[in-house]
Amino acid sequence: MGGMTATSAVLPEHVVVGAGPLTIEQVVAVARHGARVVLDDAAVAEVRRTRGIIRDLADDTVPHYGISTGFGALATRHIPVDLRHRLQRSLIRSHAAGSGPEVEREVVRALMLLRVATLATGRTGIREETLRTYAGMLDAGITPVVHEYGSLGCSGDLAPLSHCALALMGEGEVRDAAGERMPAADALAAAGLTPVELEEKEGLALVNGTDGMLGMLCLALHDLRGLLVVADVAAAMSVEGLLGTDDVFTADLHALRPQPGQAVSAANIRKVMAHSPIRESHRTEECTRVQDAYSLRCAPQVAGGARDTLDHAARVAGWELASAVDNPVVTPDGRVESNGNFHGAPVAYVLDFLAIVAADVASMSERRTDRFLDVSRSNGLPPFLADDPGVDSGHMIAQYTQAAIVSEMKRLAAPASVDSIPSSAMQEDHVSMGWSGARKLRRSVDGLARVLAVEVLTAARGLQLRAPLQPAPASGAVVGALVAAGASAPGPDRFLAPEVEVAHGLVVDGTVRRVVEAVTGPLA
């Protein structure tokens, strides 16, 4: 589930937090590329102001949730002053109860950045020194060890955020900038950071957020935007290599059904197929084919629908990036109010939607690949694109690999957000499971990249086998990139897994898109 760089966006070297909502690109820049975090001065001033409100409430004889009471189902107990620091420490220690494999560094960094962003709004009542130390951990490359399981996506991503808060306290384990696992206290000391002793309300402020699921949504949106461009490139190469027609991709036909993503996808395919000698070779009266199969003809409808779903998910992410999620919150007019904004449902839904469209785009890609390998449907190509069919198997098993991934992606498309297991003695009796939706989406995004890589590899082989006819210049650029990297050239069977990995690398590092855009201009 490694990260992608397949984008034409320029990522910033530093990100100002607190001046307004973060963007998806800023989240990616900090999470994946180590951009520095700069706290906005006005935001820090607001943090100081609202901390004063919390201090005043701490001295009040009336109980206030999370300040002078317990948490969740234990909120009925009033906590005396001498136990309140212990209350905050106990919250973090007990909630840092995750289990399973470590979560990826980029996910933890995204989670931390988004928590810093909420803290910087001043709506949480955090102290300035707590905020600065948390941001300092990010800049020092200190990544708390967070585990796969522990969040139900309601009351925030509690366990993941608690493992981060535990490190802020100088407890638990982290990985340093070099990736070495060590005690948090040692990493903080090496970075010149002092562990934080939490005061009233701060424990809650550190764990009540949708930051984990939102961070993974931002990373997925970034990666899927790049992959959908590759899906259009792969579709164009397949239509071309299978002697399909590009007449169905004309702008006026797609204007008849004004789905915005569909028009974008069709335009991309037209650009990639432009000036193709292979396409022109069968633009004759002798060509009796009237309609191509759906996996070719309807590629813009599927990839376009996926784009529109991404746009919806990005709007939801944008609203969440503009949010201050905590419970209770300090309102701008100074009230401290309980709320339910930590419920992850809005984010959980779109995480599930994206897993659905990723699976469908992958499914169509696998169907196009299979057509290249079936002599009854490939329009003159050798069985399985093999050099000596029967002796050689060509790309037969590469399609098996695709099929295995697509099958798993279909299972991953089953929504997590429709499930709920009550917790906290029925106080938290409905949860979003958004963290689980995000975790499976990451696996699905990785699967889509691998499925598209096999299609690109297979389509390139098919195009090469049309020689002496030449492919479109854009398709030819992809073929050239594959050959230069040691993949794709027709010939007797050889160890195929390394070639699949080469193709995958060219997909996820943005090379496929870059070499095409060098010919076509920008693709959308």
Side-chain angles (χ1 to χ4, degrees):
M1 295 189 288
M4 289 182 53
T5 59
T7 178
S8 57
V10 177
L11 297 173
E13 294 183 357
H14 73 273
V15 169
V16 177
V17 178
L22 294 173
T23 66
I24 290 171
E25 290 73 23
Q26 287 174 323
V27 174
V28 173
V30 173
R32 187 172 286 169
H33 303 290
R36 290 188 308 107
V37 172
V38 177
L39 296 174
D40 178 70
D41 290 340
V44 173
E46 178 67 2
V47 167
R48 292 193 205 106
R49 184 184 76 84
T50 56
R51 182 61 194 173
I53 296 171
I54 296 299
R55 287 198 180 96
D56 291 342
L57 289 176
D59 296 332
D60 196 345
T61 56
V62 177
H64 296 277
Y65 177 69
I67 298 170
S68 53
T69 73
F71 309 109
L74 301 176
T76 55
R77 180 181 173 186
H78 183 264
I79 307 298
V81 172
D82 60 338
L83 291 179
R84 289 179 189 170
H85 286 198
R86 176 182 162 191
L87 170 70
Q88 302 301 318
R89 289 195 303 271
S90 295
L91 172 71
I92 300 305
R93 288 168 177 165
S94 64
H95 284 44
S99 183
E102 283 186 54
V103 172
E104 304 86 358
R105 173 183 173 87
E106 65 177 27
V107 170
V108 179
R109 286 183 58 82
L111 176 156
M112 294 172 69
L113 172 67
L114 294 171
R115 186 66 338 212
V116 166
T118 282
L119 298 177
T121 64
R123 305 280 68 81
T124 72
I126 203 87
R127 287 177 300 150
E128 177 185 350
E129 51 265 49
T130 304
L131 171 60
R132 289 195 182 279
T133 304
Y134 208 148
M137 288 172 60
L138 270 172
D139 279 346
I142 297 172
T143 306
V145 172
V146 172
H147 299 281
E148 180 82 14
Y149 303 109
S151 174
L152 300 181
C154 198
S155 290
D157 288 316
L158 287 175
L161 282 162
S162 295
H163 280 276
C164 294
L166 193 70
L168 185 67
M169 293 163 49
E171 300 180 22
E173 290 192 297
V174 302
R175 291 192 182 274
D176 66 8
E180 182 180 349
R181 186 163 175 162
M182 64 178 61
D186 294 349
L188 291 176
L193 298 172
T194 302
V196 172
E197 182 168 342
L198 301 179
E199 297 185 4
E200 291 89 352
K201 175 67 174 66
E202 291 194 302
L204 272 180
L206 291 168
V207 302
N208 252 321
T210 55
D211 309 295
M213 65 183 90
L214 176 59
M216 286 185 274
L217 174 60
C218 290
L219 291 165
L221 285 165
H222 172 85
D223 293 348
L224 285 169
R225 289 218 183 274
L227 287 176
L228 288 180
V229 173
V230 175
D232 290 337
V233 171
M237 292 173 67
S238 291
V239 172
E240 185 182 12
L242 289 165
L243 304 186
T245 178
D246 58 353
D247 293 346
V248 295
F249 305 129
T250 57
D252 61 342
L253 290 176
H254 291 274
L256 297 175
R257 189 194 195 191
Q259 299 281 354
Q262 179 179 321
V264 170
S265 181
N268 284 347
I269 294 173
R270 289 197 306 272
K271 289 180 181 179
V272 178
M273 289 188 68
H275 312 299
S276 168
I278 291 176
R279 171 65 185 103
E280 293 305 316
S281 72
H282 58 96
R283 199 187 295 274
T284 64
E285 292 183 3
E286 286 74 27
C287 181
T288 59
R289 294 173 63 198
V290 178
Q291 294 185 138
D292 292 321
Y294 287 7
S295 61
L296 307 179
R297 190 186 352 153
C298 302
Q301 284 75 10
V302 171
R307 269 185 175 78
D308 294 337
T309 304
L310 252 71
D311 287 344
H312 169 62
R315 283 193 296 273
V316 172
W319 296 327
E320 198 73 359
L321 287 165
S323 302
V325 177
D326 191 18
N327 180 51
V329 292
V330 184
T331 63
D333 63 1
R335 296 171 5 256
V336 178
E337 299 284 0
S338 292
N339 66 90
N341 285 337
F342 48 71
H343 197 292
V347 181
Y349 296 152
V350 294
L351 289 163
D352 282 339
F353 295 166
L354 293 179
I356 290 169
V357 298
D360 203 38
V361 172
S363 179
M364 183 173 258
S365 172
E366 181 273 328
R367 287 293 79 205
R368 289 191 295 262
T369 302
D370 185 65
R371 297 188 75 82
F372 273 107
L373 308 181
D374 183 353
V375 69
S376 68
R377 294 180 292 148
S378 65
N379 295 302
L381 294 172
F384 302 103
L385 306 186
D387 185 62
D388 185 0
V391 174
D392 295 314
S393 295
H395 281 206
M396 178 192 293
I397 309 303
Q399 182 268 331
Y400 285 32
T401 297
Q402 270 189 322
I405 296 170
V406 169
S407 181
E408 177 164 348
M409 291 178 70
K410 290 175 181 177
R411 295 191 295 273
L412 293 169
S417 58
V418 298
D419 187 35
S420 176
I421 297 180
S423 56
S424 192
M426 293 301 287
Q427 175 73 4
E428 298 169 12
D429 59 352
H430 185 279
V431 296
S432 77
M433 303 308 296
W435 173 274
S436 299
R439 296 306 296 163
K440 68 185 182 66
L441 177 59
R442 281 183 68 79
R443 190 166 181 85
S444 191
V445 170
D446 177 69
L448 177 58
R450 295 180 186 281
V451 169
L452 292 173
V454 172
E455 182 184 3
V456 167
L457 187 70
T458 301
R461 172 76 68 94
L463 289 168
Q464 288 170 303
L465 289 170
R466 296 294 182 189
L469 291 172
Q470 293 298 304
S475 299
V478 178
V479 174
L482 286 164
V483 172
S488 178
D493 281 353
R494 51 195 180 265
F495 186 18
L496 194 54
E499 297 192 22
V500 173
E501 290 308 303
V502 163
H504 175 253
L506 297 181
V507 166
V508 299
D509 73 4
T511 297
V512 168
R513 180 175 184 172
R514 282 194 296 273
V515 299
V516 169
E517 289 184 326
V519 175
T520 64
L523 300 177

